[in-house]
């Protein structure tokens, strides 16, 4: 019991966001079902069940659309912060540290210690792969989510076209259509604005105790320091 409580405390941030995610995705499914069935009734069609909705292209495209924009945000933030800096922001490295940094600073190869991950102590492809694993995984999830959105979006879009007695479109036609890019860009712009706000506002504003903020008494020009 003590070990369980300790584990939950040590992983409370991940667990809290997991619970919030499940509640959100479940709430989206319930609200989406009611909205979908309202549209079905308005068009003189038969409402569908909850199971039919959560396995439909309409639900899948809405979920995948949000996932791909979120992972695009994280991928870009991870990769751009290697080389780009913002003076005064805790979300940025110090200007002199821009770049991939030295082996010593990254604690790899001969500069690793006994607690370093095994692949940080080797050379060659394994070290490169581990050194770039976070960006690679985030980028891969973005691409897969984007593909899922495009496939589900095409199916949902064609379903609407068939109801209107219009011919369905191919995948290539859909991913180059205004419908697809309107859905994508309206999410991308909000993600980019959120990151910009976090980077810029954290220069001058504080949240005591948060690692995403500088210490309350830190100078506005302090860069790369966390509270």
């Amino acid at each position: 019991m003590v070990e369980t409580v300790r584990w939950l405390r040590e992983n409370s941030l991940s667990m809290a966001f997991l619970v919030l995610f499940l509640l959100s995705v479940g709430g989206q499914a319930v609200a989406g079902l009611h909205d979908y069935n309202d549209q079905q009734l308005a068009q003189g069609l038969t409402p569908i069940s909850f199971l039919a909705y959560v396995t439909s292209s309409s639900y899948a495209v809405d979920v995948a659309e949000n996932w791909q924009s979120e992972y695009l945000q994280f991928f870009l933030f991870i990769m751009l912060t290697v080389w780009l800096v913002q003076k005064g922001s805790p979300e940025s490295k110090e200007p002199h540290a821009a770049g991939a940094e030295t082996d010593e600073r990254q604690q790899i190869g001969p500069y690793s210690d006994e607690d370093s991950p095994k692949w940080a102590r080797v050379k060659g492809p394994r070290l490169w792969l581990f050194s770039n694993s976070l960006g690679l995984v985030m980028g891969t999830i973005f691409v897969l989510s984007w593909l899922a959105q495009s496939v589900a979006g095409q199916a949902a879009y064609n379903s609407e076209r068939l109801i209107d007695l219009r011919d369905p479109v191919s995948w290539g036609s859909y991913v180059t259509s205004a419908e697809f890019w309107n859905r994508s860009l309206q999410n991308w712009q909000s993600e980019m604005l959120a990151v910009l706000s976090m980077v810029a506002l954290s220069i001058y504003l504080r949240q005591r105790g948060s690692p995403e903020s500088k210490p309350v008494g830190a100078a506005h020009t302090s860069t790369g320091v966390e509270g």
Side-chain angles (χ1 to χ4, degrees):
M1 182 62 181
V2 174
E3 287 298 318
T4 300
V5 172
R6 179 182 177 183
W7 184 90
L8 288 173
R9 181 178 181 181
E10 291 177 345
N11 296 277
S12 57
L13 185 59
S14 296
M15 296 304 296
F17 273 100
L18 176 60
V19 171
L20 289 171
F21 164 72
L22 294 175
L23 290 174
S24 298
V25 77
Q28 178 188 354
V30 173
L33 173 64
H34 285 290
D35 181 57
Y36 185 87
N37 281 338
D38 283 344
Q39 296 181 39
Q40 288 287 95
L41 292 172
Q43 296 171 353
L45 302 174
T46 304
I48 63 175
S49 67
F50 179 80
L51 180 60
Y53 176 70
V54 296
T55 56
S56 70
S57 58
S58 294
Y59 180 68
V61 68
D62 288 339
V63 172
E65 178 184 320
N66 287 302
W67 287 14
Q68 60 95 351
S69 63
E70 294 292 343
Y71 280 101
L72 174 64
Q73 173 199 130
F74 286 125
F75 172 71
L76 290 177
F77 190 62
I78 290 166
M79 301 308 296
L80 291 179
T81 51
V82 174
W83 299 99
L84 305 182
V85 299
Q86 176 57 59
K87 184 177 180 179
S89 176
E91 302 299 325
S92 166
K93 296 191 292 187
E94 296 181 358
H96 65 79
E101 302 180 348
T102 64
D103 288 357
E104 182 177 6
R105 186 177 178 87
Q106 286 291 311
Q107 297 178 261
I108 58 179
Y111 301 103
S112 61
D113 54 43
E114 59 182 15
D115 294 325
S116 297
K118 182 178 179 179
W119 281 25
R121 300 196 296 266
V122 299
K123 296 181 179 180
R126 285 188 296 170
L127 176 59
W128 181 90
L129 186 63
F130 186 63
S131 298
N132 297 279
S133 55
L134 182 59
L136 288 171
V137 169
M138 290 294 186
T140 299
I141 295 175
F142 161 67
V143 171
L144 293 177
S145 299
W146 184 88
L147 287 173
Q149 178 203 351
S150 68
V151 173
Q154 179 202 8
Y157 185 62
N158 282 337
S159 294
E160 295 176 359
R161 290 180 65 88
L162 290 173
I163 291 174
D164 296 333
L165 303 180
R166 294 186 292 170
D167 292 333
V169 299
S170 66
W171 180 83
S173 296
Y174 177 70
V175 297
T176 56
S177 69
E179 156 75 13
F180 177 78
W181 286 105
N182 178 53
R183 294 181 70 101
S184 296
L185 291 172
Q186 65 179 312
N187 282 298
W188 290 9
Q189 56 88 13
S190 63
E191 302 300 340
M192 300 307 111
L193 178 61
V195 173
L196 172 61
S197 299
M198 187 65 182
V199 170
L201 293 178
S202 61
I203 298 174
Y204 303 102
L205 306 180
R206 308 286 189 270
Q207 180 56 58
R208 184 170 181 171
S210 174
E212 300 306 316
S213 167
K214 292 186 288 189
V216 177
H220 292 324
T221 54
S222 297
T223 307
V225 295
E226 300 176 343

